[in-house]
Amino acid sequence: MSFKVTFIGAGSIGFTRNLLRDLLSVPEFRDIRVAFTDISERNLEMVRQLCQRDIDANGLPIRIEATTDRREALKDAKYVFCTIRVGGLEAFRTDIEIPLRYGVDQCVGDTLCAGGIMYGQRGIPVMLDICRDIREVAAKDALLLNYANPMAMLTWACNKYGGVRTIGLCHGVQHGHRQIADVFGLKKEEVDIVCAGINHQTWYIQIRHKGRDLTGELLEAFERHPVYSRTEKVRIDMLRRFGYYSTESNGHLSEYVPWYRKRPEEIPEWIDLGSWINGETGGYLRVCIEGRNWFETDFPNWMKEPPLAFKPEHRSEEHGSYIIESLETGRLYRGHFNVVNNGVISNLPHDAVVEVPGYVDGNGINIPHVGDLPLGPAAVCNASISVQRLAVEAAVRGDDLLLRQAFLMDPLVGAVCNPKEIWQMVDEMLVAQEAWLPQYREAVAAAKARLETGRTAGTLIPHRDYQGAARLKVRTVEEMARDREAAKRNAAAADKGQDRDRA
């Protein structure tokens, strides 16, 4: 069995390496073609070396085709993995730091809120360029498997404007599934779940164990758990008030809704600083900076460690390899995927990208009808979908009025800022990210003029001297070296699409 798989943004060492291991653990895939592409020759070569060493150690005849020429990498590809981060850490800093000056305190900033909206403005034009290349040089009906954030916005743009069949993939459902099993003292495989919603706001609407419905018992189980009762306070409160548990981590979820991060003095009540993902201010930015610094310093040691073994028991829970396996071999796979709604969830907009159950086999990717979400969770999703739609259309058209409206409608931004502040914040972010926003050339020039004269929407809004309610210092390489294994895990976990200025 032979076909070509291309990885765009392949300089992400941990993510690319693990996805490749997953794929090559399928016995039928011993002689597939693999291409890596990235804008960073240095990162591309480091990852190629590591992955080729893994391949050779497992006795496979595959030679990785690594190139900075994206079209060459995509030529004849049947499947495309995308893990880009447009703007890298330079742009990501502004996603976090500029909104902070206006009191918008984000933990992650990659899906919704001010950071997620701007991340989408940078990513959507590049994704549409990738789609154009896929249409022109890849195999007919190539499948784009998108792991890049903001997941819903990018997948929405690719399907509506890119002309390429695109499925968005995330591991949030699997992580929450493990938590749910844990609070009931069960194994994950013993608990059957159905999730539906939108990426990072997907809801466990059915939880069963041996035919018994556990959904109504979940709140009590989380409240008595010795760890999650402390680390997942936002998720538990949402469960208490909406009746269903949300897939995404405490830190992620806290910035998608208006209630938990709008008052600095209250933020510590809802988060836990034991891990960045529990709500730390700028937490994901911090671990990404640390991960990049550690990877650049520690790479020679990675090459000295034992290569990865391509065995079924070592495969991760990432959906990508299982989807390809099912399509190529006919083996059935069930997961949760991000697809255009088209009525699957009947009380969410048809054009939205939803995260829902799916089944894959040799006949294709099949999405069953879910029906209505419970009214409360549907309302939460609909608020975010309105922001996503505005942000997608703004990015495609280069329309800064739609962009400003996305900021206005964002739940957390709207809870913290008034319209004049939002207008100036957007001006600042457009100017700071000019290098990655070619579609906003005229809007950037106008924003510069307003900022230079000190007038935005008729009034200068003073910057707030606010550094965040729960900010931790970026650790030095020397500090990380005291626990090398923890630093390595952090680098692998934080590097999806790391430092990808443009794919």
Side-chain angles (χ1 to χ4, degrees), residues 171-195 202-204 206-209 214 218 222 228 232 235 245-249 317 319 333-336:
H171 45 234
V173 173
Q174 297 97 300
H175 289 178
H177 190 177
R178 283 200 299 273
Q179 287 186 335
I180 289 169
D182 188 25
V183 299
F184 285 119
L186 300 169
K187 296 179 180 178
K188 178 172 173 282
E189 56 270 23
E190 296 175 339
V191 179
D192 186 59
I193 55 101
V194 174
C195 262
T202 313
W203 307 82
Y204 297 88
Q206 180 177 287
I207 303 166
R208 292 184 178 275
H209 174 243
L214 299 178
L218 192 59
F222 267 101
Y228 300 142
E232 303 288 359
R235 294 169 88 180
Y245 196 58
S246 179
T247 50
E248 209 43 53
S249 71
E317 293 184 320
H319 297 301
Y333 178 67
R334 176 192 173 195
H336 286 78

Side-chain angles (χ1 to χ4, degrees), residues 396-438:
V396 171
R397 304 179 195 182
D399 186 331
D400 70 308
L401 179 58
L402 290 178
L403 175 61
R404 296 170 199 277
Q405 290 168 356
F407 273 71
L408 281 170
M409 295 302 299
D410 181 82
L412 182 56
V413 174
V416 173
C417 297
N418 66 37
K420 290 180 180 180
E421 291 170 326
I422 290 170
W423 246 240
Q424 182 167 299
M425 184 198 308
V426 173
D427 275 355
E428 287 201 50
M429 297 189 85
L430 284 170
V431 171
Q433 299 186 17
E434 178 181 10
W436 305 285
L437 300 173

Side-chain angles (χ1 to χ4, degrees), residues 9-14 16-17 20 36-55 64 66-68 291-304 491 495 498-500:
S12 310
I13 179 171
T16 296
R17 194 181 183 200
L20 184 66
F36 286 177
T37 187
D38 198 281
I39 63 165
S40 169
E41 289 189 37
R42 179 172 178 268
N43 282 16
L44 183 63
E45 177 56 21
M46 286 192 288
V47 177
R48 186 204 65 79
Q49 287 181 41
L50 270 172
C51 291
Q52 190 63 59
R53 189 184 64 134
D54 293 338
I55 290 170
I64 297 171
T67 176
T68 55
R292 177 199 60 190
N293 295 343
W294 181 256
F295 170 53
E296 292 177 350
T297 302
D298 200 53
F299 174 74
N301 291 322
W302 292 54
M303 290 294 290
K304 297 174 185 177
D495 80 336
Q498 185 166 297
D499 281 331
R500 306 287 76 76

Side-chain angles (χ1 to χ4, degrees), residues 319-488:
H319 297 301
S321 71
Y322 295 96
I323 290 174
I324 296 176
E325 178 184 6
S326 294
L327 292 172
E328 293 294 327
T329 70
R331 298 185 190 112
L332 180 65
Y333 178 67
R334 176 192 173 195
H336 286 78
F337 315 135
N338 289 270
V339 297
V340 180
N341 188 17
N342 288 330
V344 172
I345 301 179
S346 47
N347 58 346
L348 295 187
H350 284 214
D351 60 335
V353 168
V354 294
E355 191 165 54
V356 289
Y359 297 84
V360 191
D361 60 18
N363 295 313
I365 300 171
N366 305 286
I367 308 297
H369 181 70
V370 171
D372 281 358
L373 273 186
L375 286 177
V380 174
C381 289
N382 273 311
S384 296
I385 289 169
S386 293
V387 177
Q388 292 167 352
R389 182 184 291 105
L390 286 164
V392 169
E393 295 300 324
V396 171
R397 304 179 195 182
D399 186 331
D400 70 308
L401 179 58
L402 290 178
L403 175 61
R404 296 170 199 277
Q405 290 168 356
F407 273 71
L408 281 170
M409 295 302 299
D410 181 82
L412 182 56
V413 174
V416 173
C417 297
N418 66 37
K420 290 180 180 180
E421 291 170 326
I422 290 170
W423 246 240
Q424 182 167 299
M425 184 198 308
V426 173
D427 275 355
E428 287 201 50
M429 297 189 85
L430 284 170
V431 171
Q433 299 186 17
E434 178 181 10
W436 305 285
L437 300 173
Q439 75 274 41
Y440 286 109
R441 189 171 293 107
E442 293 182 6
V444 169
K448 285 181 179 179
R450 284 190 292 270
L451 292 171
E452 286 170 2
T453 59
R455 297 184 67 82
T456 295
T459 306
L460 176 65
I461 311 298
H463 291 175
R464 301 181 185 184
D465 185 20
Y466 179 57
Q467 299 301 312
R471 200 77 187 263
L472 298 181
K473 183 178 75 72
V474 174
R475 293 177 298 169
T476 66
V477 171
E478 291 72 24
E479 289 170 328
M480 289 187 284
R482 295 169 191 162
D483 188 345
R484 183 172 176 274
E485 285 306 310
K488 183 181 174 185

